[in-house]
Amino acid sequence: MIDIVKTFGFVPGRRTFCALFTRMHFNINGQPVGEKKVTRLMQELNLFPNLRHKDAYKGQATYNHPYYNVNDYVKRYFRQDPRKVILTDITYISYNGNKNISYLCVFKDAFTNEILGWHISKRMDVTLVERAYCMMMDLHEKEIEKACKYMKENGKKPYVYIHSDNGSQYLSTEFREILEDDGFIQSVSRRGNSLDNAPMESFFWKNEIYSK
C-alpha cells in the first residue's frame, strides 16, 4: 500500500486500493483483498484518503511535470558490470504493533547485490533519499570513479545509472540536480511496470523488510 501511495503521490480510497490489488493480482494467503481488509490495513498504517497534491511547478501534480519524463535506460538489463547499474527504492518498516512506521531507502549494486548506502527516517521525503545517497558516496565514490575510468580506458563511454521507480522523491528537482552534478545518468521505471525495478523490490521481500 505504501508503494501505491508513493507511486500515485496521494492516498487513494479503499475502493481504488481494491481495484489496484485486483489488477496487480495481489492477494493475502491466496484470498482476494476485500474492502474491509483494506480499510483495516489503512487504519493500521494511518493512511487517510486525500487528493493528489500539487507542487510548485505550474501547479501540476507531482508526477505530471516535465521532470517526470525520465527514460528507462536500464531496460531490465541489470547485471552489466559492478558499479554500472545502481538500484534504489523506499520501503516501510512498521513496529510497536504496527502503530508506528519508519521508512527505509536503500541503494544497491545490481551486479554484486551489495548494499551501497541506506538511511531510515520517520519521513518519506527527498531528504531520506539524499542521506542514503550520501552514505553510498562516502563509502563507494572511489569505486564508482574507478569503474568509469576502466570503461574510458577500454574505449567505452563512461556511465553509471541510478535506477529507481517514479516516486516523487526521485523525480524531485533537488535530487536530479545532485545526480547530474555527480555525473550519474538517471533511469526510471515505466509507470505500472514493477518488473523494471524487480531486483530492488525483491530484495525487500526476500529479507522480509515488508511488515506482515
Side-chain angles (χ1 to χ4, degrees):
M1 296 180 79
I2 297 297
D3 284 346
I4 291 175
V5 173
K6 180 175 63 174
T7 299
F8 276 65
F10 66 99
V11 182
R14 65 180 186 279
R15 293 185 180 85
T16 303
F17 270 122
C18 284
L20 290 169
F21 286 149
T22 300
R23 191 180 310 165
M24 297 163 59
H25 305 291
F26 179 80
N27 59 70
I28 297 178
N29 297 326
Q31 298 296 320
V33 183
E35 289 188 17
K36 289 185 179 179
K37 179 67 173 179
V38 169
T39 299
R40 185 175 66 81
L41 290 173
M42 291 178 69
Q43 291 173 346
E44 290 179 357
L45 298 174
N46 293 319
L47 296 177
F48 303 94
N50 56 49
L51 295 175
R52 66 189 68 186
H53 63 277
K54 304 280 185 172
D55 67 6
Y57 195 93
K58 298 184 179 179
Q60 298 179 28
T62 300
Y63 55 81
N64 195 34
H65 55 59
Y67 277 103
Y68 169 72
N69 296 320
V70 183
N71 291 324
D72 178 8
Y73 292 105
V74 174
K75 299 185 185 300
R76 303 185 187 178
Y77 179 32
F78 301 110
R79 295 181 61 81
Q80 299 186 23
D81 269 318
R83 306 298 188 260
K84 290 179 69 173
V85 177
I86 297 173
L87 308 176
T88 179
D89 198 8
I90 301 171
T91 189
Y92 68 94
I93 303 173
S94 61
Y95 55 96
N96 192 21
N98 290 332
K99 293 180 181 179
N100 301 97
I101 295 177
S102 290
Y103 299 98
L104 169 67
C105 177
V106 172
F107 284 81
K108 169 188 171 184
D109 188 312
F111 187 86
T112 65
N113 290 324
E114 180 183 358
I115 300 304
L116 305 179
W118 59 273
H119 188 72
I120 296 177
S121 173
K122 293 287 187 180
R123 296 172 60 87
M124 188 172 66
D125 54 16
V126 68
T127 302
L128 167 67
V129 174
E130 289 176 351
R131 290 183 177 177
Y133 173 86
C134 286
M135 174 186 281
M136 176 185 73
M137 295 302 287
D138 287 343
L139 297 175
H140 303 284
E141 184 175 10
K142 291 183 178 180
E143 299 167 11
I144 295 171
E145 291 177 349
K146 185 177 180 180
C148 289
K149 182 179 180 181
Y150 177 81
M151 283 184 277
K152 188 174 182 179
E153 290 175 346
N154 286 272
K156 299 179 181 179
K157 184 178 180 180
Y159 70 88
V160 177
Y161 294 127
I162 301 292
H163 184 76
S164 70
D165 62 15
N166 39 56
S168 59
Q169 300 86 355
Y170 295 112
L171 297 176
S172 66
T173 304
E174 184 177 354
F175 184 65
R176 295 196 65 196
E177 287 179 346
I178 290 174
L179 295 184
E180 184 177 353
D181 288 344
D182 287 342
F184 290 108
I185 299 175
Q186 187 176 30
S187 174
V188 171
S189 302
R190 296 165 297 170
R191 182 167 296 281
N193 287 270
S194 58
L195 292 177
D196 288 350
N197 200 25
M200 188 70 254
E201 296 185 8
S202 65
F203 165 79
F204 292 134
W205 286 103
K206 288 178 181 179
N207 290 277
E208 298 183 350
I209 293 177
Y210 284 103
S211 60
K212 299 178 180 179

